[in-house]
Amino acid sequence: MLNSILLGILLTLVTIGIHALGTATWIRHLQARAVRDDFESRSGLGFQLKLLGSSAIVLLLLHILELTVWAVVYYWWVATDQFRLFEDAVYFSTVTFASLGYGDIVIEGSWRLLSAIQAMAGLFVFGWSTALLFAVVQRIWLADEMRARSRD
């Protein structure tokens, strides 16, 4: 059980590190684009959808990278007899990371706790991603308000 907890903490730190690096990089990219493209003057629906869509895709890719790290550990170290294919480990990791818990593939023994820790890590970074998307929506909203006020 202790091995499962320690490995879960390590993988959670890796997950948070990936998410921190990815979101910080994306925020810097958005800030650079805001200066370069003058977000406040761009009000079109197409621009707003592109901004939100690209942010969502970046976050999705981060989540896929993060759950793949867990899948590698499941496949190579934790449950090698339960995953015949790497695809099975990725599927299990995805279902666990998203807290779906279908139960069609399960880890047995003391490593079960690791999947619970992964679910907690998934909830954490999904909340983080939601906050970032909300910040992008808020920025779009504020820019629209500033344009409306400048027209009055």
Side-chain angles (χ1 to χ4, degrees):
M1 182 172 99
L2 182 60
N3 287 341
S4 187
I5 292 170
L6 292 175
L7 184 56
I9 290 169
L10 176 65
L11 288 170
T12 298
L13 290 173
V14 169
T15 301
I16 290 169
I18 291 169
H19 214 72
L21 180 62
T23 56
T25 301
W26 185 245
I27 289 168
R28 285 180 177 220
H29 170 76
L30 290 176
Q31 289 171 334
R33 279 191 63 191
V35 170
R36 185 182 68 234
D37 296 344
D38 189 18
F39 279 8
E40 279 69 30
S41 68
R42 300 191 64 180
S43 62
L45 180 62
F47 174 75
Q48 293 171 349
L49 289 174
K50 182 178 174 184
L51 190 61
L52 286 168
S54 61
S55 295
I57 294 298
V58 165
L59 293 168
L60 176 65
L61 292 172
L62 283 175
H63 291 293
I64 290 170
L65 175 60
E66 293 155 4
L67 67 88
T68 301
V69 169
W70 288 79
V72 167
V73 172
Y74 288 136
Y75 187 73
W76 288 107
W77 190 13
V78 173
T80 55
D81 56 332
Q82 291 158 347
F83 301 120
R84 289 186 209 109
L85 303 171
F86 181 66
E87 180 182 339
D88 293 335
V90 171
Y91 169 78
F92 174 79
S93 182
T94 303
V95 168
T96 303
F97 198 71
S99 297
L100 294 173
Y102 288 143
D104 52 342
I105 300 175
V106 294
I107 294 177
E108 297 176 6
S110 64
W111 291 110
R112 293 179 297 174
L113 187 56
L114 184 62
S115 62
I117 294 170
Q118 183 189 9
M120 289 186 277
L123 288 171
F124 182 74
V125 294
F126 281 128
W128 186 341
S129 294
T130 301
L132 181 60
L133 283 174
F134 180 79
V136 172
V137 169
Q138 189 175 31
R139 177 71 187 251
I140 290 169
W141 187 302
L142 291 173
D144 282 349
E145 282 186 357
M146 288 175 57
R147 274 189 299 281
R149 286 184 188 155
S150 69
R151 281 184 243 140
D152 293 341

